[in-house]
Amino acid sequence: MDATTLALVVLPLLLLQFGLLGYALYDLFQEDRRVRGDSKVMWALIILFVNVVGPLIYLFLGRDESRGVALEATATGAPAPGSSTAAILASWPRLESTTEAAVTTSGLTKRYRGGVVALDKLDLTVPSGSIFGFLGPNGAGKTTTLRLLTGLAGATAGTGTVAGVPIGRTDGQLARNIGYLDQDPRFYAWMKGRELLDMVARLHGLHGAERRRRVDDVLEIVGLRQAGHRRIGGYSGGMRQRLGIGQALINQPRVLFLDEPVSSLDPEGRRDVLAIISRLRGTATVFMSTHILNDVERVCDRVAILNLGHLVVEGPIDELLDRYAQPIFELEPEPQQPGAVEKLAGLMRRQRWAQEVQTTSDTVRVFAKDPGVAGPAILPLVVKSGVGLARFERERPSLEDVFLRLVAESGPPIAPAVHIPATGLDGRARR
Amino acid sequence: MMGFGTLLIKELREQLRTGRLVAVAAVFILFGTLGPLTDRYMSELINALGSQGGEMTITVPPPSLSGAATQILKNLTQFGIVCALLLAMGSVAWEKDRGTAGMILTKPASRAAFLGSKLAAIAVNLAIAVILGCGLAYGYMLVLYPQAFDIVGYVEMALLLWWMLVGFASITLLGSTLTRSATAAAGIGLVALLVLSIAGSLPVIGPYMPISLGNVAFDLVLGSDPGWILGPIVFNVLLVPAVFGVTWLVFRNQEL
């Protein structure tokens, strides 16, 4: 509330309120009024009661704790994770080098009432230390999988382990080894950011100076050191997301589950959150569900693609791109050659290895069935046509191309899932 | 109950920060003190209003300790039940709906601790309110009446009142666990109140119902013989843990 509002609205209203209250009480106790004797006390109480009821109704029903002044990240000093973050994370225990998988599932199935199968016989192995992208269109079963793995829901069939602990254990062993960020993290609006982290640290059994130091470290990592003393109700969406990552990190988890961690953020917020995730490499295994494929390519080592509750493919990103991405050749004729684009496009369309040819005003894009044949054949054809080329390029296929192709192809009935080992199909070690 | 202490502190802090503690205490103070005041001044107020020239005659019983006790119990029972419903109706439903329950329960905190901390915090809130409301009402009676209640009977009345309210809060907490809507939870609490009120008027089971604790409390505060009260008191003491047990069974395998 600014000073002008205070001066022009609130103060006059308060003066009016208390003025009327004071006048009514003054008038009540005048000698010549109808109300006499002890009844004046009763009337005074009625007047005070009416003044109290309004605030009480407001306190019970009128307050909306979920709302507040959105303090934008820029105003609260949310620096991109920097050197201090790196130093803090470097001081955290590293994941021990192990061949044991961080997450395994075997035949994991979730069937809801009414027969809806959200997840169908999921067999998955996530190597320890990886940043694992769990991809799929909306309704693929990503969130269901995360809920099963974190113990928030029970599986209809199948088993799984997280950090070696069977899922479904309720003795706290699973919770001590994991961190979890919900898709749309909501916290107690009345709490301060620091208080939330402190509470979570207490639940994880941290005490005294160690707990305070951990809270400070996590606030630094997620860039909320300045905003830690503010009410969460006033946080922006990006700040809530970073606080969510903070609460998931407070116990230095071995496996960190993030459900769509950047989907609701602006580009700057996404950059910050992805930077935090990247820096966790070696400190925790990160299992991240998302459908923002550019982000996956930026931070993830391995991915799994899920569709309609079925695993479509799983493996290192490079391997998936090599195996499934359709090569694209792009040709750009020299300017000042009327009809050159149409001429090249017509020529390419006649080739048996060309699956599809697309044109723009100045380029021709050729989708080849077999890049081994198309690559050497294209340039001789161009020379033969007499068109001068300004640019010839084989485009690096994106994960999005692979994703769209595999999801489109994996509609029911589902083909058996393809697993690409951590060493890659060619036997070389992958990232 | 893994994590109970931490969650109880959080719940108590929430009661304080969101103003619920103050609001409930204010309601109890207001309606607690209104009890003896109403009894003491109602006749004069009616007479003052009646003397304005109207023909109507209203007869109000003269002020008495039993009248004050009736007013205190009536006020605090009615508004206390409303407060208990308001405190409990959203406690679990809102957390499930907003996802904060999921956030807490992926930490080393048991579901029993999650529920138990909520009921305990509501019980503490109601205890503070009952102490303040009944305490101030007692002070008013010392001032307004020539003699006061026996303090032991009065404390017993306050204890029974508090436990009855905790009972209604536990039933509403069950409703809040069954649904994701605070309104539906309040509805369940109100239906339970209705059913228990009707059951309270039945001949055999009536004395065992929470609402009948008010009659026992009334007799205790006036020093009258309330009859055989061990059974009803034991039943109501056990009712809260029993309802809590059902709530835990419902919540134990609930998907969040």
Coordinates of all heavy atoms in Angstrom, one line a residue, chain A residues 59 66 181 429:
Chain A
L59 N -11.3 -11.9 9.0 CA -10.2 -12.8 9.4 C -10.6 -14.2 9.0 O -9.7 -15.0 8.6 CB -10.0 -12.7 10.9 CG -9.2 -11.4 11.4 CD1 -9.2 -11.4 12.9 CD2 -7.8 -11.5 10.8
S66 N -3.3 -16.9 -0.7 CA -2.6 -17.3 -1.9 C -2.2 -16.1 -2.7 O -1.4 -16.2 -3.7 CB -3.4 -18.2 -2.7 OG -4.5 -17.6 -3.2
L181 N 10.0 -32.0 -6.7 CA 9.4 -30.7 -7.0 C 8.1 -31.0 -7.9 O 8.2 -31.7 -8.9 CB 10.3 -29.9 -7.8 CG 9.7 -28.6 -8.4 CD1 9.3 -27.6 -7.3 CD2 10.7 -27.9 -9.3
A429 N 31.5 -45.0 -24.7 CA 30.9 -44.5 -23.5 C 30.2 -43.2 -23.9 O 30.7 -42.4 -24.7 CB 31.9 -44.3 -22.4

